[in-house]
Structure formats: structure tokens, C-alpha cells
Amino acid sequence: LSELEALMERMKRLQEDKEDEEASQEEMATRFEKEKKESLLVISGGICAFPVKFSFDDEIVSTDVSRYVEDPGFGYKDFARRGEDHLPTFRAQDYTWENHGFSLVNRLYSDIGHLLDEKFRMVYNLTYNTMATHEDVDTTTLRRALFNYVHCMYGIRYDDYDYGEVNQLLERSLKVYIKTVTCYPERTTKRMYDSYWRQFKHSEKVHVNLLLMEARMQAELLYALRAITRHLT
């Protein structure tokens, strides 16, 4: 099977399995913890703790970002140290964008919540129902896996989501690309972009980038707004 056909087959099998039997809460919690720990092993720039068939190390360009930020040393850091048994988890059900963050940000800055919510929804729901040359394809499962994997890297867990889907739908090379774009965008190279989903259209791969950026922004907002809520109460 080609990369595209294999991915579509996994999406179809996941949907059939979901209709037949749902995983228990304990199983889903275990799968999240496994995915969260593995995300710490994924290193941006193509160097990965898992065996992969390629490396982009020779293409990484040291970019001077000092012209854009006041503190050049400020950047992404993994939310926990590798090897820790109990990694911190942000349970989305305890503080969600829809039920908590949206209303608070509107209080702090009138109407900004509506604009942000519209942006999140537009990017998440954007689809032509196609995958490369295939039409009438429901890509909801794939889009949710991309969005939730970014949140997983930030330690955010959705109790109603089976993180086993992430490992089945996102190959390791794509996970390396996701972490690079989301956490270290200045290290992204064209070769990395070209390496995954080779049969997909550019518009579909650009949509992946939009999903990653919006997922990251929402994750950051959730942490910030939760901290403000705790301060106010």
C-alpha cells in the first residue's frame, strides 16, 4: 500500500473499531500517559529517539531570532524532564476553552473571545473532504489527532479521546515535523515539509501547519487563562 492508502485504511479501521467497542477510561488514560512520555523523546530537527529513515540534522540552520524578541533565550521547553514517572497533566475537562477560557478572555478584552473562537473553529473545521486524489473523505479523525497531539505535547489531556489513534494515524516522521513546527518553528526546513504525506496537495499540508499553530495557541491560552482564573478566585 502507498502511504496515502495505508493512512486511509487505518482511518477506516479506527472508525469500525470505535463502532464495535470503545476503550475504557483506564485504557484511554494509560494510552495518553504513554503518548505524553513518548512526545518528550521526539526531538525537533529530525533527531528522534525512535529509529527513523532520515535525518535533517545537516539542514538545520541556526536562525537569529533576537531581532524579533526581547529575550532570545526565551523559548519552548518540555513540560517535564525525561525519565520522570509522574508527568504533570492538565485535564481539559477541568478547564476548557469553551466553558472557561472563552468567557474570561472576553471579560479581559471585549469581543476578543469571539474572534479567537471563530479562528479556532474555522481552522479546525476547514476541509474539502479530500485526501490527495481521493474525494468524499471524512478527515475529522485525522484533524482531531493532529490537534490533540499538539495539546498532548503540552500535557493537556481530553478524557473522551482515545490517544491510541494518534500513534495509528501520525507516523514518527510526522511527529518530528509537528514538534519542530510547533515548538521550534525556526528550525523547520523544506526537506522536513516534503518528507511526510508526499502524495498530499500543498493546500492540505498547509492546513496541517494552520492546525498545529492554532492548537499551540489554544494550549498556551488555556494555561495562561487558568492561572488568571486561579489568581482572581
Side-chain angles (χ1 to χ4, degrees):
L1 291 179
S2 69
E3 180 186 31
L4 172 62
E5 292 170 335
L7 177 58
M8 293 188 65
E9 181 62 30
R10 290 195 296 271
M11 290 172 60
K12 180 181 178 182
R13 189 166 60 248
L14 279 174
Q15 188 60 40
E16 292 173 348
D17 292 343
K18 188 179 296 184
E19 293 173 356
D20 294 339
E21 181 180 358
E22 291 189 2
S24 67
Q25 284 294 319
E26 291 77 14
E27 288 175 321
M28 290 197 290
T30 300
R31 291 170 185 173
F32 169 76
E33 291 299 325
K34 178 181 178 181
E35 195 63 48
K36 183 171 62 171
K37 290 179 179 178
E38 287 185 354
S39 73
L40 298 177
L41 300 176
V42 177
I43 309 299
S44 71
I47 309 167
C48 183
F50 304 115
V52 290
K53 295 182 179 179
F54 53 86
S55 173
F56 308 116
D57 191 35
D58 57 340
E59 286 200 10
I60 297 175
V61 178
S62 178
T63 305
D64 179 15
V65 297
S66 60
R67 73 190 74 174
Y68 307 114
V69 295
E70 295 180 359
D71 180 8
F74 181 82
Y76 171 85
K77 291 184 179 180
D78 285 318
F79 62 91
R81 296 179 181 177
R82 297 175 199 172
E84 289 184 357
D85 292 329
H86 303 288
L87 304 181
T89 297
F90 183 137
R91 294 181 70 254
Q93 276 65 19
D94 295 336
Y95 197 93
T96 65
W97 165 254
E98 293 79 7
N99 297 330
H100 305 91
F102 172 80
S103 58
L104 175 59
V105 80
N106 259 347
R107 283 171 50 198
L108 299 174
Y109 192 158
S110 180
D111 292 333
I112 192 66
H114 294 286
L115 296 174
L116 288 170
D117 191 63
E118 181 181 0
K119 186 161 71 86
F120 292 146
R121 292 178 184 275
M122 180 181 296
V123 171
Y124 187 86
N125 295 321
L126 181 64
T127 179
Y128 299 122
N129 294 314
T130 62
M131 288 181 66
T133 56
H134 296 267
E135 298 181 351
D136 299 321
V137 180
D138 184 358
T139 61
T140 304
T141 305
L142 185 56
R143 283 181 280 127
R144 190 176 185 189
L146 289 164
F147 197 92
N148 285 2
Y149 181 63
V150 173
H151 280 205
C152 179
M153 289 195 303
Y154 281 82
I156 299 175
R157 177 195 169 199
Y158 293 88
D159 290 343
D160 60 347
Y161 182 69
D162 182 357
Y163 287 85
E165 295 184 6
V166 170
N167 260 341
Q168 295 188 55
L169 296 178
L170 309 183
E171 69 270 17
R172 291 167 179 171
S173 61
L174 178 53
K175 287 183 177 180
V176 172
Y177 178 78
I178 290 172
K179 186 159 188 177
T180 306
V181 170
T182 306
C183 306
Y184 311 97
E186 72 279 2
R187 301 181 187 177
T188 309
T189 66
K190 185 178 185 299
R191 186 179 177 187
M192 295 175 68
Y193 171 84
D194 292 336
S195 70
Y196 78 96
W197 290 1
R198 295 175 179 83
Q199 297 169 291
F200 281 67
K201 301 174 184 176
H202 286 298
S203 60
E204 294 169 319
K205 297 177 75 169
V206 168
H207 183 207
V208 170
N209 286 354
L210 292 175
L211 270 171
L212 302 183
M213 291 296 96
E214 294 305 320
R216 168 185 164 170
M217 184 176 189
Q218 190 177 107
E220 293 170 337
L221 278 172
L222 285 174
Y223 274 104
L225 294 172
R226 186 182 65 167
I228 293 173
T229 298
R230 289 175 174 176
H231 174 72
L232 294 176
T233 55

Coordinates of all heavy atoms in Angstrom, one line a residue, residues 127-202:
T127 N -12.0 22.0 5.6 CA -11.7 20.7 4.8 C -12.5 20.8 3.5 O -13.6 21.4 3.4 CB -12.2 19.5 5.6 OG1 -11.9 18.3 4.8 CG2 -13.7 19.6 6.0
Y128 N -11.9 20.1 2.5 CA -12.6 20.0 1.2 C -13.1 18.5 1.1 O -13.5 18.1 0.0 CB -11.6 20.2 0.1 CG -11.0 21.6 0.0 CD1 -9.7 21.9 0.1 CD2 -11.9 22.7 0.0 CE1 -9.2 23.2 0.1 CE2 -11.4 24.0 0.0 CZ -10.0 24.2 0.0 OH -9.5 25.5 0.0
N129 N -13.0 17.8 2.2 CA -13.3 16.4 2.2 C -12.5 15.6 1.2 O -13.1 14.7 0.5 CB -14.8 16.2 2.0 CG -15.6 16.7 3.2 OD1 -15.4 16.5 4.3 ND2 -16.7 17.5 2.8
T130 N -11.3 15.9 1.1 CA -10.4 15.2 0.1 C -9.1 14.8 0.9 O -8.7 15.4 1.9 CB -10.0 16.1 -1.1 OG1 -9.3 17.2 -0.6 CG2 -11.2 16.6 -1.8
M131 N -8.5 13.8 0.3 CA -7.1 13.4 0.7 C -6.4 13.1 -0.5 O -6.6 12.0 -1.1 CB -7.2 12.2 1.7 CG -7.7 12.5 3.1 SD -7.7 11.1 4.2 CE -5.9 10.8 4.4
A132 N -5.5 14.0 -0.9 CA -4.8 13.9 -2.2 C -5.8 13.7 -3.3 O -6.6 14.6 -3.5 CB -3.8 12.7 -2.2
T133 N -5.8 12.6 -4.0 CA -6.7 12.4 -5.2 C -8.1 11.8 -4.8 O -9.0 11.7 -5.6 CB -6.1 11.6 -6.2 OG1 -5.7 10.3 -5.7 CG2 -4.8 12.2 -6.8
H134 N -8.2 11.5 -3.5 CA -9.5 10.9 -3.1 C -10.5 11.9 -2.6 O -10.1 12.9 -1.9 CB -9.2 9.9 -1.9 CG -8.4 8.7 -2.3 ND1 -8.9 7.5 -2.7 CD2 -7.0 8.6 -2.4 CE1 -7.9 6.7 -3.0 NE2 -6.7 7.3 -2.8
E135 N -11.7 11.8 -3.0 CA -12.8 12.7 -2.7 C -13.8 12.1 -1.7 O -13.8 10.9 -1.5 CB -13.5 13.2 -3.9 CG -12.5 14.0 -4.9 CD -13.3 14.5 -6.1 OE1 -14.4 14.1 -6.3 OE2 -12.7 15.3 -6.9
D136 N -14.6 12.9 -1.1 CA -15.7 12.5 -0.2 C -15.1 11.7 1.0 O -15.6 10.6 1.3 CB -16.7 11.7 -0.9 CG -17.4 12.4 -2.0 OD1 -17.7 13.6 -1.8 OD2 -17.7 11.9 -3.1
V137 N -14.0 12.2 1.6 CA -13.3 11.6 2.7 C -13.6 12.4 4.0 O -13.4 13.6 4.0 CB -11.8 11.5 2.5 CG1 -11.2 10.8 3.7 CG2 -11.5 10.7 1.2
D138 N -14.0 11.7 5.0 CA -14.2 12.4 6.3 C -12.9 12.4 7.0 O -12.4 11.4 7.5 CB -15.3 11.6 7.1 CG -15.6 12.3 8.5 OD1 -15.0 13.4 8.7 OD2 -16.4 11.8 9.2
T139 N -12.3 13.6 7.1 CA -11.0 13.8 7.7 C -11.0 14.2 9.2 O -10.0 14.5 9.8 CB -10.2 14.8 6.9 OG1 -10.8 16.1 7.0 CG2 -10.0 14.4 5.5
T140 N -12.2 14.1 9.8 CA -12.4 14.5 11.2 C -11.4 13.8 12.1 O -10.8 14.4 13.0 CB -13.8 14.3 11.7 OG1 -14.7 15.0 10.8 CG2 -14.0 14.8 13.1
T141 N -11.3 12.5 12.0 CA -10.4 11.7 12.8 C -9.0 12.2 12.7 O -8.3 12.3 13.7 CB -10.5 10.2 12.5 OG1 -11.9 9.8 12.5 CG2 -9.7 9.4 13.4
L142 N -8.5 12.4 11.5 CA -7.1 12.9 11.3 C -6.9 14.3 11.8 O -5.9 14.5 12.5 CB -6.8 12.8 9.8 CG -5.4 13.1 9.4 CD1 -4.4 12.1 10.1 CD2 -5.2 13.0 7.9
R143 N -7.8 15.2 11.6 CA -7.7 16.5 12.1 C -7.7 16.6 13.6 O -6.9 17.3 14.3 CB -8.8 17.4 11.6 CG -8.6 17.8 10.1 CD -9.7 18.7 9.6 NE -10.9 17.9 9.3 CZ -12.1 18.2 9.7 NH1 -12.4 19.1 10.6 NH2 -13.2 17.4 9.3
R144 N -8.5 15.7 14.3 CA -8.5 15.7 15.7 C -7.2 15.1 16.3 O -6.7 15.6 17.3 CB -9.7 14.9 16.2 CG -9.9 15.0 17.7 CD -11.2 14.3 18.2 NE -11.4 14.5 19.6 CZ -12.3 13.9 20.3 NH1 -13.1 13.0 19.8 NH2 -12.5 14.2 21.6
A145 N -6.7 14.1 15.6 CA -5.4 13.5 16.1 C -4.3 14.6 16.0 O -3.5 14.6 16.9 CB -5.0 12.3 15.2
L146 N -4.2 15.4 15.0 CA -3.2 16.4 14.8 C -3.4 17.4 16.0 O -2.4 17.8 16.6 CB -3.3 17.1 13.5 CG -2.9 16.3 12.3 CD1 -3.4 16.9 11.0 CD2 -1.4 16.2 12.2
F147 N -4.6 17.9 16.2 CA -4.8 18.9 17.2 C -4.5 18.4 18.6 O -3.9 19.1 19.4 CB -6.3 19.4 17.1 CG -6.6 20.7 17.8 CD1 -6.6 21.9 17.1 CD2 -7.0 20.7 19.1 CE1 -6.9 23.1 17.7 CE2 -7.3 21.9 19.7 CZ -7.2 23.1 19.0
N148 N -5.0 17.2 18.9 CA -4.8 16.7 20.2 C -3.4 16.2 20.5 O -3.0 16.2 21.7 CB -5.8 15.5 20.4 CG -7.2 15.9 20.7 OD1 -7.5 17.1 20.6 ND2 -8.1 15.0 20.9
Y149 N -2.6 15.9 19.5 CA -1.2 15.6 19.7 C -0.4 16.8 20.1 O 0.4 16.7 21.0 CB -0.6 15.0 18.4 CG 0.8 14.6 18.6 CD1 1.2 13.6 19.6 CD2 1.9 15.2 17.9 CE1 2.5 13.2 19.8 CE2 3.2 14.8 18.2 CZ 3.5 13.9 19.1 OH 4.8 13.5 19.3
V150 N -0.7 17.9 19.6 CA -0.1 19.2 20.0 C -0.4 19.4 21.5 O 0.5 19.7 22.3 CB -0.5 20.4 19.1 CG1 0.0 21.7 19.7 CG2 0.0 20.2 17.7
H151 N -1.7 19.3 21.8 CA -2.0 19.5 23.2 C -1.4 18.5 24.1 O -1.0 18.8 25.3 CB -3.6 19.5 23.4 CG -4.2 20.8 23.0 ND1 -5.4 21.2 23.4 CD2 -3.8 21.8 22.2 CE1 -5.7 22.4 22.9 NE2 -4.7 22.7 22.2
C152 N -1.3 17.3 23.6 CA -0.6 16.2 24.4 C 0.8 16.6 24.7 O 1.4 16.4 25.8 CB -0.7 14.9 23.7 SG 0.1 13.5 24.5
M153 N 1.5 17.2 23.7 CA 2.9 17.6 23.9 C 3.0 18.7 25.0 O 4.0 18.8 25.7 CB 3.5 18.2 22.6 CG 3.8 17.1 21.6 SD 4.9 17.8 20.3 CE 3.9 19.2 19.7
Y154 N 1.9 19.4 25.2 CA 1.8 20.4 26.3 C 1.2 19.9 27.6 O 0.9 20.6 28.5 CB 1.1 21.6 25.8 CG 1.9 22.6 24.9 CD1 2.0 22.3 23.6 CD2 2.5 23.7 25.4 CE1 2.8 23.1 22.7 CE2 3.2 24.5 24.6 CZ 3.4 24.2 23.3 OH 4.1 25.1 22.5
G155 N 1.0 18.5 27.6 CA 0.5 17.9 28.8 C -1.0 18.0 29.0 O -1.5 17.8 30.1
I156 N -1.8 18.4 28.0 CA -3.2 18.6 28.1 C -3.9 17.3 27.6 O -3.7 16.8 26.5 CB -3.7 19.8 27.2 CG1 -3.0 21.0 27.7 CG2 -5.2 19.9 27.3 CD1 -3.3 22.3 26.9
R157 N -4.8 16.8 28.5 CA -5.5 15.5 28.2 C -7.0 15.7 28.1 O -7.6 16.4 28.9 CB -5.2 14.5 29.3 CG -6.0 13.2 29.1 CD -6.0 12.3 30.3 NE -7.0 11.2 30.1 CZ -7.5 10.5 31.1 NH1 -7.1 10.8 32.3 NH2 -8.3 9.5 30.8
Y158 N -7.6 15.1 27.1 CA -9.0 15.1 26.9 C -9.5 13.7 27.3 O -9.1 12.7 26.7 CB -9.4 15.4 25.5 CG -9.1 16.8 25.1 CD1 -7.9 17.1 24.5 CD2 -10.0 17.8 25.2 CE1 -7.5 18.4 24.2 CE2 -9.7 19.1 24.9 CZ -8.5 19.4 24.4 OH -8.2 20.7 24.0
D159 N -10.4 13.6 28.3 CA -10.8 12.3 28.9 C -11.6 11.5 27.9 O -11.6 10.3 28.0 CB -11.6 12.5 30.1 CG -10.8 13.0 31.3 OD1 -9.6 12.9 31.2 OD2 -11.4 13.6 32.3
D160 N -12.2 12.2 26.9 CA -13.1 11.4 26.0 C -12.4 11.1 24.7 O -13.0 10.6 23.7 CB -14.3 12.3 25.6 CG -14.0 13.6 25.0 OD1 -12.8 14.0 25.1 OD2 -14.9 14.3 24.5
Y161 N -11.0 11.3 24.7 CA -10.3 11.0 23.4 C -9.4 9.8 23.6 O -8.7 9.7 24.6 CB -9.5 12.2 23.0 CG -8.7 11.9 21.7 CD1 -9.4 11.8 20.5 CD2 -7.3 11.8 21.7 CE1 -8.7 11.6 19.3 CE2 -6.6 11.6 20.5 CZ -7.3 11.5 19.3 OH -6.6 11.2 18.2
D162 N -9.4 8.9 22.7 CA -8.5 7.7 22.7 C -7.2 8.0 22.0 O -7.1 8.1 20.8 CB -9.2 6.5 22.0 CG -8.4 5.2 22.1 OD1 -7.2 5.3 22.6 OD2 -8.8 4.2 21.6
Y163 N -6.1 8.2 22.8 CA -4.8 8.6 22.3 C -4.1 7.5 21.5 O -3.1 7.7 20.9 CB -3.9 9.1 23.4 CG -4.4 10.5 23.8 CD1 -5.4 10.6 24.8 CD2 -3.9 11.7 23.3 CE1 -5.9 11.9 25.2 CE2 -4.3 12.9 23.7 CZ -5.3 13.0 24.6 OH -5.8 14.2 25.0
G164 N -4.7 6.3 21.5 CA -4.2 5.2 20.6 C -4.4 5.6 19.2 O -3.6 5.2 18.3
E165 N -5.3 6.5 18.8 CA -5.5 7.0 17.5 C -4.3 7.8 17.0 O -4.0 7.8 15.8 CB -6.8 7.8 17.4 CG -8.0 7.0 17.7 CD -9.3 7.9 17.5 OE1 -9.2 9.0 17.0 OE2 -10.4 7.4 17.8
V166 N -3.7 8.5 17.9 CA -2.5 9.3 17.5 C -1.4 8.5 16.9 O -0.9 8.7 15.8 CB -2.0 10.1 18.7 CG1 -0.6 10.8 18.4 CG2 -3.0 11.2 19.1
N167 N -1.1 7.4 17.6 CA 0.0 6.5 17.1 C -0.3 5.8 15.8 O 0.5 5.5 15.0 CB 0.4 5.5 18.2 CG 1.6 5.9 19.0 OD1 2.4 6.7 18.5 ND2 1.8 5.3 20.2
Q168 N -1.6 5.6 15.6 CA -2.0 4.9 14.4 C -2.1 5.8 13.2 O -1.9 5.3 12.1 CB -3.4 4.2 14.6 CG -3.3 3.1 15.7 CD -4.6 2.3 15.7 OE1 -5.1 1.8 14.7 NE2 -5.3 2.3 16.9
L169 N -2.3 7.1 13.4 CA -2.5 8.0 12.3 C -1.3 8.9 12.0 O -1.1 9.3 10.9 CB -3.7 8.9 12.6 CG -5.1 8.2 12.7 CD1 -6.2 9.2 13.0 CD2 -5.4 7.4 11.4
L170 N -0.5 9.1 13.0 CA 0.7 10.0 12.8 C 1.9 9.2 12.9 O 2.3 8.8 13.9 CB 0.7 11.1 13.9 CG -0.6 11.9 14.1 CD1 -0.4 13.0 15.1 CD2 -1.1 12.5 12.8
E171 N 2.6 9.0 11.7 CA 3.9 8.3 11.7 C 4.9 9.1 12.4 O 4.8 10.3 12.6 CB 4.3 7.9 10.3 CG 4.7 9.1 9.4 CD 3.6 9.7 8.7 OE1 2.4 9.5 9.0 OE2 3.9 10.5 7.7
R172 N 6.0 8.4 12.7 CA 7.1 9.1 13.5 C 7.7 10.3 12.9 O 8.0 11.3 13.5 CB 8.1 8.1 13.9 CG 7.6 7.0 14.9 CD 8.5 5.8 15.0 NE 8.0 4.8 15.9 CZ 8.5 3.6 16.1 NH1 9.6 3.3 15.4 NH2 8.0 2.8 16.9
S173 N 7.9 10.2 11.5 CA 8.5 11.4 10.8 C 7.6 12.6 10.9 O 8.0 13.7 11.0 CB 8.7 11.0 9.4 OG 7.5 10.7 8.7
L174 N 6.2 12.3 10.9 CA 5.3 13.4 11.0 C 5.3 14.0 12.4 O 5.2 15.2 12.6 CB 3.9 13.0 10.7 CG 2.8 14.0 10.8 CD1 3.1 15.3 10.0 CD2 1.4 13.4 10.3
K175 N 5.5 13.2 13.4 CA 5.6 13.7 14.8 C 6.8 14.6 15.0 O 6.8 15.6 15.7 CB 5.7 12.5 15.8 CG 4.3 11.8 16.0 CD 4.5 10.7 17.0 CE 3.1 10.0 17.2 NZ 3.2 8.9 18.3
V176 N 7.9 14.2 14.4 CA 9.1 15.1 14.4 C 8.8 16.4 13.8 O 9.2 17.5 14.3 CB 10.3 14.4 13.7 CG1 11.5 15.4 13.6 CG2 10.7 13.1 14.5
Y177 N 8.1 16.4 12.6 CA 7.8 17.6 11.9 C 6.8 18.5 12.8 O 7.0 19.7 12.9 CB 7.1 17.3 10.6 CG 6.6 18.5 9.9 CD1 7.6 19.3 9.1 CD2 5.3 18.9 9.9 CE1 7.2 20.4 8.4 CE2 4.9 20.1 9.2 CZ 5.8 20.8 8.5 OH 5.5 21.9 7.8
I178 N 5.8 17.8 13.4 CA 4.9 18.5 14.3 C 5.6 19.2 15.4 O 5.3 20.4 15.7 CB 3.8 17.6 14.8 CG1 2.9 17.1 13.7 CG2 3.0 18.2 15.9 CD1 1.9 16.0 14.1
K179 N 6.5 18.5 16.1 CA 7.2 19.1 17.2 C 8.1 20.3 16.8 O 8.2 21.3 17.5 CB 8.0 18.1 18.0 CG 8.6 18.7 19.3 CD 9.0 17.6 20.3 CE 9.4 18.2 21.6 NZ 9.7 17.2 22.6
T180 N 8.7 20.1 15.6 CA 9.6 21.2 15.2 C 8.7 22.4 14.8 O 9.1 23.6 15.3 CB 10.3 20.7 13.9 OG1 11.0 19.5 14.2 CG2 11.3 21.8 13.5
V181 N 7.7 22.3 14.1 CA 6.9 23.4 13.7 C 6.2 24.1 14.9 O 6.1 25.3 15.0 CB 5.8 23.0 12.7 CG1 4.7 24.1 12.4 CG2 6.4 22.6 11.3
T182 N 5.7 23.3 15.8 CA 5.0 23.8 17.0 C 5.9 24.4 18.0 O 5.6 25.5 18.6 CB 4.2 22.7 17.6 OG1 3.4 22.0 16.6 CG2 3.3 23.2 18.7
C183 N 7.0 23.8 18.3 CA 7.9 24.2 19.4 C 9.1 25.0 18.9 O 9.6 25.9 19.6 CB 8.3 23.0 20.2 SG 7.0 22.0 20.8
Y184 N 9.7 24.7 17.7 CA 10.9 25.3 17.3 C 10.7 25.7 15.8 O 11.5 25.1 14.9 CB 12.1 24.4 17.4 CG 12.2 23.8 18.8 CD1 11.8 22.5 19.1 CD2 12.8 24.5 19.9 CE1 11.9 21.9 20.3 CE2 12.9 23.9 21.1 CZ 12.4 22.6 21.3 OH 12.5 22.1 22.6
P185 N 9.8 26.5 15.4 CA 9.5 26.8 14.0 C 10.7 27.3 13.2 O 10.7 27.0 12.0 CB 8.4 27.8 14.1 CG 8.5 28.4 15.4 CD 8.9 27.3 16.3
E186 N 11.6 28.0 13.8 CA 12.8 28.5 13.1 C 13.7 27.4 12.6 O 14.5 27.6 11.7 CB 13.6 29.5 14.0 CG 14.4 28.8 15.1 CD 13.5 28.5 16.3 OE1 12.3 28.7 16.3 OE2 14.1 28.0 17.3
R187 N 13.5 26.2 13.1 CA 14.3 25.0 12.7 C 13.7 24.2 11.5 O 14.3 23.3 11.0 CB 14.6 24.1 13.8 CG 15.3 24.7 15.0 CD 15.5 23.7 16.1 NE 16.0 24.3 17.3 CZ 16.2 23.6 18.5 NH1 16.0 22.3 18.5 NH2 16.7 24.2 19.5
T188 N 12.5 24.6 11.1 CA 11.8 23.9 10.1 C 12.5 24.0 8.7 O 12.9 25.2 8.4 CB 10.3 24.3 10.0 OG1 9.7 24.3 11.2 CG2 9.6 23.4 9.0
T189 N 12.6 23.0 8.0 CA 13.3 23.0 6.7 C 12.3 22.5 5.6 O 11.3 21.8 5.9 CB 14.5 22.1 6.6 OG1 14.1 20.8 6.8 CG2 15.5 22.5 7.7
K190 N 12.6 22.9 4.4 CA 11.7 22.4 3.3 C 11.8 20.9 3.1 O 10.8 20.2 2.8 CB 12.2 23.0 2.0 CG 11.3 22.7 0.8 CD 11.7 23.4 -0.5 CE 10.7 23.1 -1.6 NZ 10.6 21.7 -1.9
R191 N 12.9 20.3 3.4 CA 13.1 18.9 3.3 C 12.2 18.2 4.3 O 11.6 17.1 4.1 CB 14.5 18.4 3.5 CG 14.8 16.9 3.3 CD 16.2 16.6 3.5 NE 16.4 15.2 3.4 CZ 17.5 14.6 3.6 NH1 18.6 15.2 4.0 NH2 17.7 13.2 3.5
M192 N 12.0 18.8 5.5 CA 11.1 18.2 6.5 C 9.7 18.3 6.0 O 8.9 17.3 6.2 CB 11.3 19.0 7.8 CG 12.6 18.9 8.5 SD 12.7 19.9 10.0 CE 11.6 19.1 11.0
Y193 N 9.3 19.4 5.4 CA 8.0 19.6 4.9 C 7.7 18.6 3.8 O 6.6 18.0 3.7 CB 7.9 21.0 4.4 CG 6.6 21.3 3.6 CD1 5.4 21.6 4.2 CD2 6.6 21.2 2.2 CE1 4.2 21.9 3.5 CE2 5.4 21.5 1.5 CZ 4.3 21.8 2.1 OH 3.1 22.0 1.4
D194 N 8.7 18.3 2.9 CA 8.5 17.4 1.8 C 8.5 15.9 2.2 O 8.0 15.1 1.5 CB 9.6 17.6 0.8 CG 9.5 19.0 0.1 OD1 8.4 19.5 0.0 OD2 10.5 19.5 -0.4
S195 N 9.0 15.6 3.4 CA 9.2 14.3 3.8 C 8.0 13.5 4.2 O 7.9 12.3 4.1 CB 10.2 14.2 5.0 OG 9.6 14.7 6.2
Y196 N 6.9 14.2 4.6 CA 5.7 13.5 5.1 C 4.6 13.7 4.1 O 4.5 14.7 3.4 CB 5.3 13.9 6.5 CG 4.6 15.3 6.5 CD1 3.2 15.3 6.6 CD2 5.3 16.5 6.5 CE1 2.6 16.5 6.6 CE2 4.7 17.7 6.6 CZ 3.3 17.7 6.7 OH 2.6 18.9 6.7
W197 N 3.7 12.7 4.0 CA 2.5 12.8 3.2 C 2.8 13.3 1.8 O 2.3 14.3 1.2 CB 1.5 13.8 3.8 CG 0.8 13.3 5.0 CD1 1.0 12.1 5.7 CD2 -0.2 13.9 5.8 NE1 0.2 12.0 6.8 CE2 -0.5 13.1 6.9 CE3 -0.8 15.2 5.7 CZ2 -1.5 13.5 7.8 CZ3 -1.8 15.5 6.6 CH2 -2.1 14.7 7.7
R198 N 3.8 12.6 1.1 CA 4.3 13.0 -0.2 C 3.2 13.1 -1.2 O 3.3 13.8 -2.2 CB 5.4 12.1 -0.6 CG 6.6 12.1 0.3 CD 7.6 11.0 -0.1 NE 8.8 11.1 0.7 CZ 8.9 10.5 1.8 NH1 7.9 9.8 2.3 NH2 10.1 10.5 2.5
Q199 N 2.1 12.3 -1.1 CA 1.1 12.3 -2.1 C 0.0 13.4 -1.9 O -0.8 13.6 -2.7 CB 0.4 10.9 -2.2 CG 1.4 9.8 -2.6 CD 0.8 8.4 -2.3 OE1 0.5 8.0 -1.2 NE2 0.4 7.8 -3.4
F200 N 0.1 14.1 -0.8 CA -0.9 15.1 -0.5 C -0.6 16.4 -1.2 O 0.5 16.7 -1.6 CB -0.9 15.4 1.0 CG -1.7 14.3 1.8 CD1 -1.2 13.0 1.9 CD2 -2.9 14.6 2.5 CE1 -1.9 12.1 2.6 CE2 -3.5 13.7 3.2 CZ -3.1 12.4 3.3
K201 N -1.7 17.2 -1.4 CA -1.6 18.5 -2.0 C -0.9 19.5 -1.1 O -1.0 19.3 0.2 CB -3.0 19.0 -2.4 CG -3.7 18.1 -3.4 CD -5.1 18.6 -3.6 CE -5.9 17.6 -4.5 NZ -7.3 18.1 -4.7
H202 N -0.3 20.5 -1.6 CA 0.3 21.6 -0.8 C -0.8 22.2 0.1 O -0.5 22.5 1.3 CB 1.0 22.6 -1.6 CG 2.3 22.1 -2.2 ND1 3.3 21.7 -1.4 CD2 2.7 22.0 -3.5 CE1 4.3 21.4 -2.1 NE2 4.0 21.5 -3.4

